[in-house]
PDB file of all heavy atoms in Angstrom:
ATOM      1  N   LEU O 549     248.642  17.434 100.071  1.00  0.00           N
ATOM      2  CA  LEU O 549     249.915  18.187 100.090  1.00  0.00           C
ATOM      3  C   LEU O 549     249.661  19.709  99.788  1.00  0.00           C
ATOM      4  O   LEU O 549     250.168  20.587 100.449  1.00  0.00           O
ATOM      5  CB  LEU O 549     250.916  17.606  99.141  1.00  0.00           C
ATOM      6  CG  LEU O 549     251.539  16.281  99.503  1.00  0.00           C
ATOM      7  CD1 LEU O 549     252.410  15.744  98.349  1.00  0.00           C
ATOM      8  CD2 LEU O 549     252.304  16.333 100.797  1.00  0.00           C
ATOM      9  N   SER O 550     248.817  19.958  98.789  1.00  0.00           N
ATOM     10  CA  SER O 550     248.528  21.297  98.413  1.00  0.00           C
ATOM     11  C   SER O 550     247.835  22.036  99.531  1.00  0.00           C
ATOM     12  O   SER O 550     248.169  23.216  99.788  1.00  0.00           O
ATOM     13  CB  SER O 550     247.712  21.343  97.149  1.00  0.00           C
ATOM     14  OG  SER O 550     248.408  20.877  96.064  1.00  0.00           O
ATOM     15  N   GLU O 551     246.921  21.401 100.213  1.00  0.00           N
ATOM     16  CA  GLU O 551     246.175  22.027 101.331  1.00  0.00           C
ATOM     17  C   GLU O 551     247.151  22.307 102.474  1.00  0.00           C
ATOM     18  O   GLU O 551     247.106  23.358 103.089  1.00  0.00           O
ATOM     19  CB  GLU O 551     245.039  21.135 101.795  1.00  0.00           C
ATOM     20  CG  GLU O 551     243.917  21.062 100.777  1.00  0.00           C
ATOM     21  CD  GLU O 551     243.249  22.370 100.506  1.00  0.00           C
ATOM     22  OE1 GLU O 551     243.011  23.179 101.437  1.00  0.00           O
ATOM     23  OE2 GLU O 551     242.997  22.645  99.313  1.00  0.00           O
ATOM     24  N   ILE O 552     248.031  21.381 102.739  1.00  0.00           N
ATOM     25  CA  ILE O 552     249.068  21.597 103.752  1.00  0.00           C
ATOM     26  C   ILE O 552     249.943  22.777 103.360  1.00  0.00           C
ATOM     27  O   ILE O 552     250.273  23.628 104.198  1.00  0.00           O
ATOM     28  CB  ILE O 552     249.882  20.310 104.002  1.00  0.00           C
ATOM     29  CG1 ILE O 552     249.026  19.229 104.682  1.00  0.00           C
ATOM     30  CG2 ILE O 552     251.124  20.610 104.835  1.00  0.00           C
ATOM     31  CD1 ILE O 552     249.705  17.850 104.665  1.00  0.00           C
ATOM     32  N   GLY O 553     250.280  22.848 102.129  1.00  0.00           N
ATOM     33  CA  GLY O 553     251.123  23.936 101.631  1.00  0.00           C
ATOM     34  C   GLY O 553     250.545  25.296 101.810  1.00  0.00           C
ATOM     35  O   GLY O 553     251.199  26.232 102.172  1.00  0.00           O
ATOM     36  N   VAL O 554     249.212  25.364 101.608  1.00  0.00           N
ATOM     37  CA  VAL O 554     248.493  26.685 101.787  1.00  0.00           C
ATOM     38  C   VAL O 554     248.682  27.143 103.231  1.00  0.00           C
ATOM     39  O   VAL O 554     249.023  28.302 103.473  1.00  0.00           O
ATOM     40  CB  VAL O 554     247.025  26.556 101.400  1.00  0.00           C
ATOM     41  CG1 VAL O 554     246.189  27.801 101.847  1.00  0.00           C
ATOM     42  CG2 VAL O 554     246.879  26.372  99.900  1.00  0.00           C
ATOM     43  N   VAL O 555     248.429  26.239 104.176  1.00  0.00           N
ATOM     44  CA  VAL O 555     248.529  26.577 105.589  1.00  0.00           C
ATOM     45  C   VAL O 555     249.995  26.874 105.979  1.00  0.00           C
ATOM     46  O   VAL O 555     250.201  27.857 106.683  1.00  0.00           O
ATOM     47  CB  VAL O 555     247.960  25.448 106.476  1.00  0.00           C
ATOM     48  CG1 VAL O 555     248.311  25.670 107.905  1.00  0.00           C
ATOM     49  CG2 VAL O 555     246.479  25.346 106.282  1.00  0.00           C
ATOM     50  N   LEU O 556     250.918  26.065 105.508  1.00  0.00           N
ATOM     51  CA  LEU O 556     252.308  26.324 105.830  1.00  0.00           C
ATOM     52  C   LEU O 556     252.801  27.644 105.268  1.00  0.00           C
ATOM     53  O   LEU O 556     253.514  28.394 105.934  1.00  0.00           O
ATOM     54  CB  LEU O 556     253.206  25.186 105.313  1.00  0.00           C
ATOM     55  CG  LEU O 556     253.064  23.876 106.044  1.00  0.00           C
ATOM     56  CD1 LEU O 556     253.966  22.834 105.350  1.00  0.00           C
ATOM     57  CD2 LEU O 556     253.403  23.939 107.484  1.00  0.00           C
ATOM     58  N   GLU O 557     252.375  27.978 104.066  1.00  0.00           N
ATOM     59  CA  GLU O 557     252.778  29.263 103.448  1.00  0.00           C
ATOM     60  C   GLU O 557     252.213  30.445 104.259  1.00  0.00           C
ATOM     61  O   GLU O 557     252.903  31.448 104.457  1.00  0.00           O
ATOM     62  CB  GLU O 557     252.313  29.314 102.025  1.00  0.00           C
ATOM     63  CG  GLU O 557     252.864  30.501 101.282  1.00  0.00           C
ATOM     64  CD  GLU O 557     252.473  30.510  99.775  1.00  0.00           C
ATOM     65  OE1 GLU O 557     251.876  29.556  99.311  1.00  0.00           O
ATOM     66  OE2 GLU O 557     252.748  31.549  99.145  1.00  0.00           O
ATOM     67  N   LYS O 558     251.012  30.287 104.743  1.00  0.00           N
ATOM     68  CA  LYS O 558     250.386  31.380 105.561  1.00  0.00           C
ATOM     69  C   LYS O 558     251.091  31.508 106.891  1.00  0.00           C
ATOM     70  O   LYS O 558     251.404  32.623 107.347  1.00  0.00           O
ATOM     71  CB  LYS O 558     248.913  31.096 105.745  1.00  0.00           C
ATOM     72  CG  LYS O 558     248.197  32.096 106.587  1.00  0.00           C
ATOM     73  CD  LYS O 558     246.753  31.675 106.827  1.00  0.00           C
ATOM     74  CE  LYS O 558     246.126  32.636 107.866  1.00  0.00           C
ATOM     75  NZ  LYS O 558     245.049  32.006 108.575  1.00  0.00           N
ATOM     76  N   GLU O 559     251.291  30.374 107.575  1.00  0.00           N
ATOM     77  CA  GLU O 559     251.757  30.389 108.984  1.00  0.00           C
ATOM     78  C   GLU O 559     253.285  30.394 109.064  1.00  0.00           C
ATOM     79  O   GLU O 559     253.791  30.907 110.039  1.00  0.00           O
ATOM     80  CB  GLU O 559     251.214  29.165 109.752  1.00  0.00           C
ATOM     81  CG  GLU O 559     249.711  29.171 109.882  1.00  0.00           C
ATOM     82  CD  GLU O 559     249.141  30.284 110.751  1.00  0.00           C
ATOM     83  OE1 GLU O 559     249.901  30.873 111.551  1.00  0.00           O
ATOM     84  OE2 GLU O 559     247.966  30.594 110.643  1.00  0.00           O
ATOM     85  N   PHE O 560     253.953  29.820 108.066  1.00  0.00           N
ATOM     86  CA  PHE O 560     255.431  29.701 108.110  1.00  0.00           C
ATOM     87  C   PHE O 560     255.989  30.052 106.740  1.00  0.00           C
ATOM     88  O   PHE O 560     256.531  29.177 106.053  1.00  0.00           O
ATOM     89  CB  PHE O 560     255.820  28.281 108.495  1.00  0.00           C
ATOM     90  CG  PHE O 560     255.265  27.834 109.805  1.00  0.00           C
ATOM     91  CD1 PHE O 560     254.095  27.063 109.836  1.00  0.00           C
ATOM     92  CD2 PHE O 560     255.871  28.161 110.977  1.00  0.00           C
ATOM     93  CE1 PHE O 560     253.575  26.662 111.032  1.00  0.00           C
ATOM     94  CE2 PHE O 560     255.357  27.712 112.212  1.00  0.00           C
ATOM     95  CZ  PHE O 560     254.183  26.995 112.253  1.00  0.00           C
ATOM     96  N   PRO O 561     255.896  31.316 106.272  1.00  0.00           N
ATOM     97  CA  PRO O 561     256.366  31.656 104.952  1.00  0.00           C
ATOM     98  C   PRO O 561     257.886  31.532 104.905  1.00  0.00           C
ATOM     99  O   PRO O 561     258.573  31.631 105.908  1.00  0.00           O
ATOM    100  CB  PRO O 561     255.951  33.137 104.784  1.00  0.00           C
ATOM    101  CG  PRO O 561     255.742  33.594 106.175  1.00  0.00           C
ATOM    102  CD  PRO O 561     255.304  32.434 107.042  1.00  0.00           C
ATOM    103  N   ALA O 562     258.356  31.268 103.679  1.00  0.00           N
ATOM    104  CA  ALA O 562     259.805  31.149 103.469  1.00  0.00           C
ATOM    105  C   ALA O 562     260.481  32.445 103.770  1.00  0.00           C
ATOM    106  O   ALA O 562     259.927  33.518 103.564  1.00  0.00           O
ATOM    107  CB  ALA O 562     260.072  30.739 102.007  1.00  0.00           C
TER     108      ALA O 562
END
Side-chain angles (χ1 to χ4, degrees):
L549 289 174
S550 293
E551 292 297 318
I552 291 169
V554 169
V555 169
L556 289 177
E557 188 176 353
K558 177 184 171 205
E559 297 293 340
F560 304 96

